[in-house]
Amino acid sequence: MIQGFPSRDGQHGVEHGLRALASRSLRGLRRAGLLLLPALLVLGVACSGKKSNSASDPGTPPAVTSNPTSVSTVTGRQASFAILATGAPTLAYQWAKDGQPILGAIGATYTLYQPRVEDAGSYTVTVTNAFGTATSGAATLTVLAAVPFNAPGGLAYDASGNLFVSDMNDHTIWKVDATNHRTLVAGSSGLPGSADGLGGDARFNHPGGLAFDPAGNLVVADTGNHTLRRITPDGTVTTLAGAPGVPGSADGAAAQARFNAPFGVAVDGTGATYIADTQNHAIRLMAPDGTVSTYAGTAGAPGFADGTGAAARFNQPNGLALAANGTLYVADYGNACIRAVAPGALVTRLAGQANTPGYANGSALSAQFRAPVGLALDGAGVLWVADTSNHTIRRIGTDGAVTGPAGSGGTAGNADGTGTAALFALPCGIAVTPAGNLAVADTGNHLLRTVTPAGVATTFTIP
């Protein structure tokens, strides 16, 4: 027997021991497997039955969480609808009007940038993904017809309560009656020129400020023609002073007088007409007999200076308003302030900081304006200002306090509302309505607006 090697009997014992060990191991593995299997089954059931708290997990169909809301607007004023929805990516959107799909309207937001009356209706959106669809509730779009203009500028009311409007870029003069229906008074739409005649036979070139004389004639600053025109109640147009297409600064009889881009006009009870001769930087006066003289400022000499007559200086004077006591108010556009010209041509600064454009309310001389154009004086002696480049309507009270009842104070827009919620774009003309509100030529928005003394702005619409 080799030392160290077990005998047969010993070997048999070892084999028996190994078999017993293997049997015990197998039974242990079986027991372990039996214990492991239920655990795996429990884990599998838990995983397969897991509930998701996320609406974006795979397999989740769309759900609308916020429906679009109804909108009321006017023609040309942007309107938008929006929706919020959840669901597995990727969500697809399709907007519909009155049940008919809208071509290209495939975002969560749908905007009509230039709505028309015919765009009014019921709007819905259907949201789709790989697992289903959901359709929103309906939102109604209401579109009222605004009174349309190209670039309304000058405004003036007649004794019957009709509003007259110069459409500067359309080269026409219009009348808007108390029901907001408009009719063409003179000129031909889109055709600039200079011709006297009846109604549509006449021609204008970027007409600006308007004012009525004591006889009921409409005086027009025909800015692009460098002339002063008159429209009689029957629509007959004649040239009062200046030479069409010939700028200049000459004083004298009407036909010999020259202007340079006149804009603002105001007429007193005698029929004398004050003219803001914008590019001559002067205030001119046409007497009832047609003789033209320079009332304040010096033609061709822009600047800022208070003083009497020729000693005063203006910089592109624009809108005018005439008080019953003979004081003439001037929107001194280039100097960013408002001037007062007392009888005798004494010029002083009424409000604003000369040559310091900005936006600030407060006492008159500490307030700031930016390129003011239109002026209107109401029955209580309050002076209203179309603060053009501030896109705001300003108020100068009889106590000298300057406020901004309507508009943003610097941000252009197109919205009705109260105070800063009301938005304008380059308002130019302004006039007091028969009811004591304000009519505003919202030039950049191509609209007419109404503003109450409390600052509530609405849009002229056609019933």
Side-chain angles (χ1 to χ4, degrees):
M1 178 181 298
I2 301 173
Q3 183 67 33
F5 194 83
S7 63
R8 171 179 288 273
D9 292 340
Q11 183 178 359
H12 175 75
V14 170
E15 291 174 353
H16 178 75
L18 290 172
R19 284 196 297 273
L21 178 61
S23 178
R24 289 194 300 272
S25 299
L26 182 60
R27 287 195 299 273
L29 288 172
R30 286 172 177 168
R31 285 195 299 272
L34 290 173
L35 292 174
L36 181 61
L37 181 59
L40 291 173
L41 289 173
V42 170
L43 181 61
V45 169
C47 290
S48 63
K50 179 183 177 182
K51 300 298 183 183
S52 171
N53 290 323
S54 172
S56 296
D57 280 336
T60 305
V64 176
T65 59
S66 179
N67 284 298
T69 57
S70 296
V71 177
S72 180
T73 189
V74 300
T75 48
R77 177 178 293 154
Q78 178 177 310
S80 294
F81 296 108
I83 185 177
L84 293 177
T86 59
T90 298
L91 298 178
Y93 302 85
Q94 178 60 64
W95 290 85
K97 174 182 178 287
D98 298 329
Q100 298 299 312
I102 303 169
L103 181 65
I106 55 174
T109 299
Y110 175 55
T111 299
L112 295 93
Y113 292 98
Q114 293 287 330
R116 302 163 297 168
V117 170
E118 52 266 37
D119 290 322
S122 178
Y123 286 77
T124 57
V125 59
T126 298
V127 188
T128 306
N129 67 8
F131 306 100
T133 63
T135 299
S136 72
T140 300
L141 176 65
T142 302
V143 184
L144 301 176
V147 182
F149 290 95
N150 189 321
L155 302 179
Y157 277 94
D158 69 8
S160 300
N162 297 302
L163 178 62
F164 287 75
V165 183
S166 65
D167 197 338
M168 297 183 290
N169 290 349
D170 196 47
H171 316 291
T172 47
I173 309 297
W174 297 81
K175 180 179 77 172
V176 179
D177 66 18
T179 63
N180 288 350
H181 289 89
R182 72 172 196 162
T183 54
L184 182 65
V185 174
S188 183
S189 186
L191 294 178
S194 180
D196 290 340
L198 181 63
D201 293 332
R203 295 290 181 270
F204 298 87
N205 189 350
H206 294 92
L210 305 176
F212 278 94
D213 69 16
N217 302 305
L218 184 64
V219 178
V220 181
D222 195 359
T223 307
N225 278 324
H226 314 290
T227 55
L228 206 62
R229 313 288 290 281
R230 178 174 62 198
I231 306 175
T232 61
D234 69 356
T236 300
V237 179
T238 55
T239 299
L240 288 175
V246 183
S249 60
D251 289 335
Q256 284 72 50
R258 297 292 181 267
F259 304 92
N260 193 348
F263 187 85
V265 288
V267 184
D268 71 13
T270 70
T273 303
Y274 296 88
I275 305 110
D277 196 359
T278 303
Q279 293 305 323
N280 274 327
H281 314 288
I283 306 301
R284 312 288 292 282
L285 176 63
M286 186 177 72
D289 66 359
T291 303
V292 175
S293 60
T294 300
Y295 183 63
T298 298
F304 178 86
D306 288 340
T308 301
R313 293 290 182 271
F314 299 89
N315 189 346
Q316 300 181 74
N318 268 250
L320 302 178
L322 185 62
N325 66 2
T327 299
L328 181 70
Y329 297 99
V330 181
D332 197 354
Y333 178 94
N335 281 321
C337 62
I338 309 301
R339 314 289 289 280
V341 187
L346 174 61
V347 180
T348 57
R349 176 168 59 102
L350 176 72
Q353 299 180 39
N355 298 311
T356 309
Y359 183 83
N361 292 319
S363 63
L365 298 182
S366 66
Q368 289 179 301
F369 299 85
R370 190 182 300 275
V373 170
L375 296 179
L377 194 66
D378 69 18
V382 173
L383 186 64
W384 296 89
V385 183
D387 193 1
T388 303
S389 291
N390 274 325
H391 315 290
T392 304
I393 304 306
R394 311 291 292 279
R395 178 187 189 275
I396 305 175
T398 55
D399 60 355
V402 177
T403 56
S408 65
T411 301
N414 187 349
D416 288 339
T418 302
T420 57
L423 298 177
F424 303 85
L426 299 172
C428 284
I430 190 168
V432 178
T433 74
N437 297 314
L438 300 168
V440 177
D442 192 2
T443 308
N445 284 323
H446 321 291
L447 300 172
L448 296 180
R449 313 284 291 279
T450 297
V451 178
T452 69
V456 180
T458 54
T459 300
F460 279 56
T461 57
I462 302 171

